[in-house]
Each structure stands twice: as C-alpha cells, then as structure tokens.
Amino acid sequence: MRTHLRTASTAAALVLAALSLTACGGDTDKADKAGGTSSSASASASATASASASASASGSVSKAPAKGTSTKDTSTGGGTGGAASACTTKNTSVTFIASAHHAGEQEPAAATVKVTNTSKATCTLVGASTLVAKDDQGKAEPISADTSANGTDAVDIKPGASAQATVLYADLNFEGSASAREVCAIQASTVEIALPDDEGRTVKVTKADGSAGTFNVCGPDVKFDGFGK
C-alpha cells in the first residue's frame, strides 16, 4: 500500500515539474518573440533615420509640391509673352518715298515713310518720330518735323510687316515764275529719320518705283503724320 502511494506521489511530482517547465518555456518564447520584435523595430527605425540623414547631407531629398503649387519652369526665357520690344535701327528698315504728284495750291504733296520689321519678333512704335531734311548743297537751313501731334499711340509691327506715315509738304514755289516753280530751297537726296527713343538714320529718298528721288521742299510747313498699319 505504501508502495502504491509513493508511486502515485512520484508521478504527481513529475507531472507538476513538466507543467512548470512548459510554463517557463512559454514565458521564454514570449520574451524571445517580444525581444525580436523590439529589435526589428529598433533596427528599422535606425535604418530609416540613417537613410534620411544621408539623403539630407547629399542634398537629394525631394518633396512633392504642395497642393496648388505649380511645377512649371518659370526661369528666365522659359515662357512666352511679355511686352514687345521697341522698333529701332536694330530691328527695322526705313524707306522714304517722295510724292508721286506735285502739290497744288489747295492740296500738298504727300511723301511716305515706311518702317518694316526685319526681325523675328513683333516690335512697337510708340512716341514721336522725327524727320530732318538738309539741302544737298547746303544753301538753306534744314527743316524738321515730328509726329508728336498725333504719333504717340502704340503701333505693333509683326515680323515682315510694315507701318506707314505720310509727310505733307509743298514741292512747288507758287510765288515764283513758271520756269522756277519747281526750284525749292531744300532739295534733298537723303533725309534723317529717328524713330521714338532711337538714334537717327540716314535714308535715301526714292520714287515709288525704287529709283533715286529728291525731296523738294519749298516752304517751312511740313507735317509728319503718325504711323498706322
């Protein structure tokens, strides 16, 4: 009977020992798992911080544009538009065409000043243009006129296009004899024309067909109208 009790007690002790070991093992596994998770999280955070620091040091960090922010390149020359440049000696040619008809007592002669845009961009005429005519022989004082009365409005001239202005003058001397009617104080083969805020240029006087002409001016009243297309 004692042997049976001793055997049962021993068996019970072995069972309790096994349960105790299992419990300890379970706690160890949980600790290992918890430790592993914590280690992985720490390693991941460390790697992320290291990568961010490296990227910041090399200047390669890029951020997405904030909402409503344009990513279009707005550097100089990257866009189009803006104000047109002024028409000057650098981007235009000028022609002076003497009147094809003599003046009458009630109607003046009409010469034409033609400005052509020779560039690849639109230019603008705004302000007063001036005209100076000198006698080829220097026998009379030069005469001058400008468009300040009605030539200050802006006129855009596209590439290859032209703008024209009329010069009204008397090319006959109505007070002289019939033989001297066409003899004027100013007989100019060239004139000087300056566009607004530009230097003057010497322009040859031509006829309508392009051949050489003369700007005969018999009186001081010369009217330089504004430019129009």
Side-chain angles (χ1 to χ4, degrees), residues 153-189:
D153 291 338
V155 177
D156 292 331
I157 308 177
K158 294 181 179 180
S162 301
Q164 297 185 10
T166 301
V167 179
L168 303 177
Y169 63 105
D171 64 344
L172 293 176
N173 185 358
F174 297 104
E175 297 180 356
S177 62
S179 61
R181 292 188 68 186
E182 295 185 20
V183 179
C184 297
I186 299 291
Q187 298 185 45
S189 59

Short mmCIF file of all heavy atoms in Angstrom, two decimals, residues 153-189:
data_model
loop_
_atom_site.label_atom_id
_atom_site.label_comp_id
_atom_site.label_asym_id
_atom_site.label_seq_id
_atom_site.Cartn_x
_atom_site.Cartn_y
_atom_site.Cartn_z
N ASP A 153 0.49 107.18 -80.20
CA ASP A 153 -0.20 105.92 -79.95
C ASP A 153 0.67 104.75 -80.35
O ASP A 153 1.42 104.81 -81.34
CB ASP A 153 -1.53 105.85 -80.71
CG ASP A 153 -2.55 106.84 -80.17
OD1 ASP A 153 -2.39 107.25 -79.00
OD2 ASP A 153 -3.48 107.20 -80.90
N ALA A 154 0.59 103.65 -79.60
CA ALA A 154 1.40 102.47 -79.88
C ALA A 154 0.94 101.76 -81.14
O ALA A 154 -0.26 101.56 -81.36
CB ALA A 154 1.36 101.51 -78.70
N VAL A 155 1.89 101.41 -81.98
CA VAL A 155 1.62 100.64 -83.20
C VAL A 155 2.51 99.41 -83.19
O VAL A 155 3.75 99.53 -83.19
CB VAL A 155 1.88 101.47 -84.48
CG1 VAL A 155 1.66 100.63 -85.72
CG2 VAL A 155 0.99 102.70 -84.51
N ASP A 156 1.92 98.22 -83.14
CA ASP A 156 2.69 96.97 -83.17
C ASP A 156 2.93 96.55 -84.62
O ASP A 156 2.01 96.54 -85.43
CB ASP A 156 1.93 95.86 -82.45
CG ASP A 156 1.85 96.10 -80.95
OD1 ASP A 156 2.76 96.75 -80.41
OD2 ASP A 156 0.87 95.64 -80.33
N ILE A 157 4.19 96.19 -84.91
CA ILE A 157 4.55 95.75 -86.26
C ILE A 157 5.06 94.31 -86.16
O ILE A 157 6.09 94.05 -85.54
CB ILE A 157 5.63 96.66 -86.88
CG1 ILE A 157 5.21 98.13 -86.80
CG2 ILE A 157 5.87 96.26 -88.33
CD1 ILE A 157 6.27 99.09 -87.33
N LYS A 158 4.36 93.41 -86.79
CA LYS A 158 4.75 92.00 -86.75
C LYS A 158 5.95 91.75 -87.67
O LYS A 158 6.25 92.57 -88.55
CB LYS A 158 3.57 91.13 -87.18
CG LYS A 158 2.39 91.17 -86.22
CD LYS A 158 1.27 90.26 -86.70
CE LYS A 158 0.10 90.28 -85.72
NZ LYS A 158 -1.01 89.39 -86.16
N PRO A 159 6.64 90.64 -87.47
CA PRO A 159 7.80 90.33 -88.33
C PRO A 159 7.42 90.34 -89.81
O PRO A 159 6.44 89.73 -90.22
CB PRO A 159 8.19 88.92 -87.88
CG PRO A 159 7.73 88.84 -86.46
CD PRO A 159 6.45 89.61 -86.41
N GLY A 160 8.18 91.11 -90.61
CA GLY A 160 7.93 91.20 -92.05
C GLY A 160 6.87 92.21 -92.43
O GLY A 160 6.73 92.53 -93.62
N ALA A 161 6.12 92.72 -91.48
CA ALA A 161 5.06 93.69 -91.77
C ALA A 161 5.61 95.11 -91.71
O ALA A 161 6.76 95.33 -91.30
CB ALA A 161 3.91 93.52 -90.78
N SER A 162 4.79 96.08 -92.12
CA SER A 162 5.23 97.48 -92.17
C SER A 162 4.17 98.40 -91.59
O SER A 162 2.99 98.06 -91.50
CB SER A 162 5.51 97.90 -93.62
OG SER A 162 6.51 97.08 -94.21
N ALA A 163 4.62 99.57 -91.19
CA ALA A 163 3.73 100.66 -90.78
C ALA A 163 4.13 101.89 -91.59
O ALA A 163 5.32 102.08 -91.90
CB ALA A 163 3.85 100.92 -89.29
N GLN A 164 3.15 102.70 -91.95
CA GLN A 164 3.43 103.84 -92.81
C GLN A 164 2.94 105.14 -92.19
O GLN A 164 1.97 105.16 -91.44
CB GLN A 164 2.79 103.65 -94.19
CG GLN A 164 3.32 102.46 -94.96
CD GLN A 164 2.74 102.36 -96.36
OE1 GLN A 164 2.07 103.26 -96.84
NE2 GLN A 164 3.01 101.25 -97.03
N ALA A 165 3.63 106.21 -92.54
CA ALA A 165 3.22 107.56 -92.14
C ALA A 165 3.35 108.46 -93.36
O ALA A 165 4.17 108.21 -94.25
CB ALA A 165 4.08 108.07 -91.00
N THR A 166 2.55 109.50 -93.39
CA THR A 166 2.55 110.43 -94.51
C THR A 166 3.24 111.74 -94.11
O THR A 166 3.05 112.24 -93.00
CB THR A 166 1.12 110.73 -94.97
OG1 THR A 166 0.50 109.50 -95.35
CG2 THR A 166 1.10 111.69 -96.15
N VAL A 167 4.03 112.27 -95.03
CA VAL A 167 4.68 113.57 -94.84
C VAL A 167 4.08 114.53 -95.87
O VAL A 167 4.23 114.33 -97.08
CB VAL A 167 6.21 113.48 -95.02
CG1 VAL A 167 6.84 114.87 -94.85
CG2 VAL A 167 6.80 112.49 -94.02
N LEU A 168 3.39 115.55 -95.39
CA LEU A 168 2.74 116.52 -96.27
C LEU A 168 3.63 117.76 -96.41
O LEU A 168 4.13 118.29 -95.39
CB LEU A 168 1.38 116.91 -95.70
CG LEU A 168 0.40 115.75 -95.47
CD1 LEU A 168 -0.89 116.25 -94.83
CD2 LEU A 168 0.10 115.01 -96.77
N TYR A 169 3.81 118.24 -97.64
CA TYR A 169 4.72 119.36 -97.89
C TYR A 169 4.39 120.02 -99.23
O TYR A 169 3.61 119.48 -100.04
CB TYR A 169 6.17 118.90 -97.87
CG TYR A 169 6.52 117.91 -98.97
CD1 TYR A 169 7.26 118.30 -100.09
CD2 TYR A 169 6.12 116.57 -98.89
CE1 TYR A 169 7.58 117.39 -101.09
CE2 TYR A 169 6.44 115.66 -99.87
CZ TYR A 169 7.17 116.07 -100.98
OH TYR A 169 7.48 115.17 -101.98
N ALA A 170 4.98 121.15 -99.47
CA ALA A 170 4.82 121.85 -100.76
C ALA A 170 6.09 121.67 -101.57
O ALA A 170 7.18 122.00 -101.10
CB ALA A 170 4.56 123.34 -100.53
N ASP A 171 5.97 121.12 -102.77
CA ASP A 171 7.15 120.90 -103.61
C ASP A 171 7.15 121.84 -104.83
O ASP A 171 7.93 121.65 -105.77
CB ASP A 171 7.22 119.45 -104.08
CG ASP A 171 6.06 119.06 -104.97
OD1 ASP A 171 5.04 119.79 -105.00
OD2 ASP A 171 6.16 118.01 -105.63
N LEU A 172 6.32 122.87 -104.78
CA LEU A 172 6.28 123.88 -105.82
C LEU A 172 6.32 125.26 -105.18
O LEU A 172 5.79 125.47 -104.09
CB LEU A 172 5.02 123.76 -106.68
CG LEU A 172 4.91 122.51 -107.57
CD1 LEU A 172 3.56 122.50 -108.28
CD2 LEU A 172 6.05 122.42 -108.58
N ASN A 173 6.94 126.21 -105.92
CA ASN A 173 7.02 127.59 -105.47
C ASN A 173 5.97 128.39 -106.23
O ASN A 173 6.18 128.77 -107.38
CB ASN A 173 8.43 128.15 -105.72
CG ASN A 173 8.58 129.54 -105.16
OD1 ASN A 173 7.65 130.13 -104.62
ND2 ASN A 173 9.79 130.08 -105.30
N PHE A 174 4.86 128.64 -105.58
CA PHE A 174 3.75 129.30 -106.27
C PHE A 174 3.96 130.81 -106.41
O PHE A 174 3.21 131.49 -107.11
CB PHE A 174 2.44 129.03 -105.53
CG PHE A 174 2.06 127.56 -105.50
CD1 PHE A 174 2.24 126.82 -104.34
CD2 PHE A 174 1.57 126.94 -106.64
CE1 PHE A 174 1.90 125.47 -104.33
CE2 PHE A 174 1.24 125.60 -106.63
CZ PHE A 174 1.41 124.85 -105.47
N GLU A 175 4.97 131.34 -105.78
CA GLU A 175 5.21 132.78 -105.85
C GLU A 175 6.23 133.13 -106.93
O GLU A 175 6.38 134.31 -107.27
CB GLU A 175 5.71 133.30 -104.49
CG GLU A 175 4.68 133.13 -103.36
CD GLU A 175 5.20 133.64 -102.04
OE1 GLU A 175 6.38 134.05 -101.99
OE2 GLU A 175 4.44 133.62 -101.06
N GLY A 176 6.93 132.15 -107.45
CA GLY A 176 7.94 132.43 -108.45
C GLY A 176 7.37 132.37 -109.87
O GLY A 176 6.17 132.15 -110.09
N SER A 177 8.26 132.52 -110.82
CA SER A 177 7.88 132.44 -112.22
C SER A 177 7.58 131.00 -112.58
O SER A 177 7.93 130.06 -111.85
CB SER A 177 9.00 133.00 -113.11
OG SER A 177 10.17 132.21 -112.95
N ALA A 178 6.96 130.80 -113.72
CA ALA A 178 6.60 129.45 -114.13
C ALA A 178 7.83 128.56 -114.29
O ALA A 178 7.81 127.36 -113.98
CB ALA A 178 5.82 129.52 -115.43
N SER A 179 8.92 129.13 -114.77
CA SER A 179 10.13 128.35 -115.00
C SER A 179 10.83 127.96 -113.70
O SER A 179 11.65 127.04 -113.68
CB SER A 179 11.11 129.13 -115.89
OG SER A 179 11.47 130.34 -115.25
N ALA A 180 10.53 128.71 -112.62
CA ALA A 180 11.21 128.46 -111.36
C ALA A 180 10.29 127.81 -110.33
O ALA A 180 10.67 127.69 -109.14
CB ALA A 180 11.76 129.77 -110.82
N ARG A 181 9.17 127.36 -110.75
CA ARG A 181 8.20 126.82 -109.79
C ARG A 181 8.72 125.58 -109.06
O ARG A 181 8.37 125.34 -107.91
CB ARG A 181 6.88 126.48 -110.49
CG ARG A 181 6.13 127.72 -110.99
CD ARG A 181 4.76 127.35 -111.49
NE ARG A 181 3.90 126.90 -110.39
CZ ARG A 181 2.68 126.40 -110.56
NH1 ARG A 181 2.18 126.24 -111.79
NH2 ARG A 181 1.96 126.04 -109.52
N GLU A 182 9.53 124.80 -109.76
CA GLU A 182 9.99 123.56 -109.15
C GLU A 182 11.34 123.71 -108.46
O GLU A 182 11.94 122.73 -108.02
CB GLU A 182 10.08 122.46 -110.20
CG GLU A 182 8.73 122.10 -110.79
CD GLU A 182 8.82 120.93 -111.76
OE1 GLU A 182 9.81 120.17 -111.68
OE2 GLU A 182 7.91 120.77 -112.57
N VAL A 183 11.81 124.92 -108.37
CA VAL A 183 13.08 125.17 -107.69
C VAL A 183 12.77 125.53 -106.23
O VAL A 183 12.24 126.60 -105.94
CB VAL A 183 13.86 126.31 -108.35
CG1 VAL A 183 15.17 126.55 -107.58
CG2 VAL A 183 14.15 125.98 -109.80
N CYS A 184 13.12 124.60 -105.35
CA CYS A 184 12.83 124.79 -103.92
C CYS A 184 14.11 125.04 -103.14
O CYS A 184 15.22 124.68 -103.57
CB CYS A 184 12.12 123.57 -103.35
SG CYS A 184 10.49 123.24 -104.08
N ALA A 185 13.94 125.62 -101.96
CA ALA A 185 15.11 125.91 -101.12
C ALA A 185 15.79 124.62 -100.66
O ALA A 185 17.02 124.54 -100.59
CB ALA A 185 14.68 126.75 -99.92
N ILE A 186 14.99 123.63 -100.35
CA ILE A 186 15.53 122.34 -99.91
C ILE A 186 15.38 121.33 -101.03
O ILE A 186 14.27 121.04 -101.49
CB ILE A 186 14.81 121.80 -98.66
CG1 ILE A 186 14.96 122.77 -97.48
CG2 ILE A 186 15.32 120.40 -98.28
CD1 ILE A 186 16.35 122.87 -96.92
N GLN A 187 16.49 120.83 -101.50
CA GLN A 187 16.49 119.73 -102.47
C GLN A 187 17.40 118.64 -101.88
O GLN A 187 18.61 118.72 -101.98
CB GLN A 187 17.01 120.19 -103.83
CG GLN A 187 16.14 121.28 -104.46
CD GLN A 187 16.60 121.64 -105.86
OE1 GLN A 187 16.89 120.75 -106.67
NE2 GLN A 187 16.66 122.93 -106.17
N ALA A 188 16.75 117.66 -101.29
CA ALA A 188 17.50 116.65 -100.54
C ALA A 188 17.38 115.27 -101.18
O ALA A 188 16.27 114.81 -101.50
CB ALA A 188 16.98 116.60 -99.11
N SER A 189 18.52 114.61 -101.33
CA SER A 189 18.53 113.23 -101.85
C SER A 189 18.47 112.22 -100.70
O SER A 189 18.23 111.04 -100.93
CB SER A 189 19.77 112.99 -102.71
OG SER A 189 20.95 113.22 -101.95
#
